[in-house]
Amino acid sequence: MVDDDKPILEVVSEALADEGYAVVTATNGEEALERIHNDASIDILFSDVVMPGLSGVDLAKRAASLRPELKIVLASGHAEGWIEGLPQDVHFIAKPYRLGEILQTLSRRVDG
């Protein structure tokens, strides 16, 4: 999970861990790429779109080129149609999101 908002990162990652996910966190795109590169067990990238430095969209593109099998979910308070360059195989969740919505989306990405 990647989010530059540390309280959101902590709350959501803890909730996902409580649901059985092994969660690796990063507070920016570069840190996330490093983790993805160094940890082959990461199979889903769940990231905020709007972050300083490397955006979630750019992170998704770079992560997908690094690990094509990686499943990617991006979240933003901006409408999906307003986000430029959103890769076609990336799933989008609108903020504010609910834990149930995240769990359902992650489950579909793992199974699909």
Side-chain angles (χ1 to χ4, degrees):
M1 179 174 178
V2 188
D3 202 309
D4 62 311
D5 186 325
K6 289 182 183 181
I8 289 176
L9 185 66
E10 289 174 10
V11 168
V12 176
S13 64
E14 284 180 25
L16 291 172
D18 288 346
E19 292 294 325
Y21 285 91
V23 182
V24 176
T25 62
T27 57
N28 61 62
E30 292 296 336
E31 183 181 2
L33 283 175
E34 182 180 323
R35 295 202 192 305
I36 290 166
H37 178 73
N38 293 325
D39 188 346
S41 71
I42 295 173
D43 54 3
I44 299 176
L45 169 63
F46 176 45
S47 177
D48 189 20
V49 170
V50 179
M51 296 184 293
L54 192 63
S55 75
V57 172
D58 291 333
L59 168 60
K61 291 175 182 176
R62 289 178 59 185
S65 72
L66 183 65
R67 299 252 315 274
E69 76 285 0
L70 191 68
K71 296 180 170 74
I72 301 171
V73 178
L74 295 179
S76 177
H78 298 284
E80 183 175 3
W82 286 90
I83 300 172
E84 292 185 28
L86 191 65
Q88 190 171 14
D89 58 343
V90 169
H91 189 84
F92 179 83
I93 297 177
K95 282 184 170 182
Y97 46 69
R98 295 182 179 184
L99 180 59
E101 181 180 12
I102 297 169
L103 293 172
Q104 183 179 40
T105 300
L106 294 179
S107 176
R108 280 195 308 239
R109 295 301 288 171
V110 168
D111 296 338

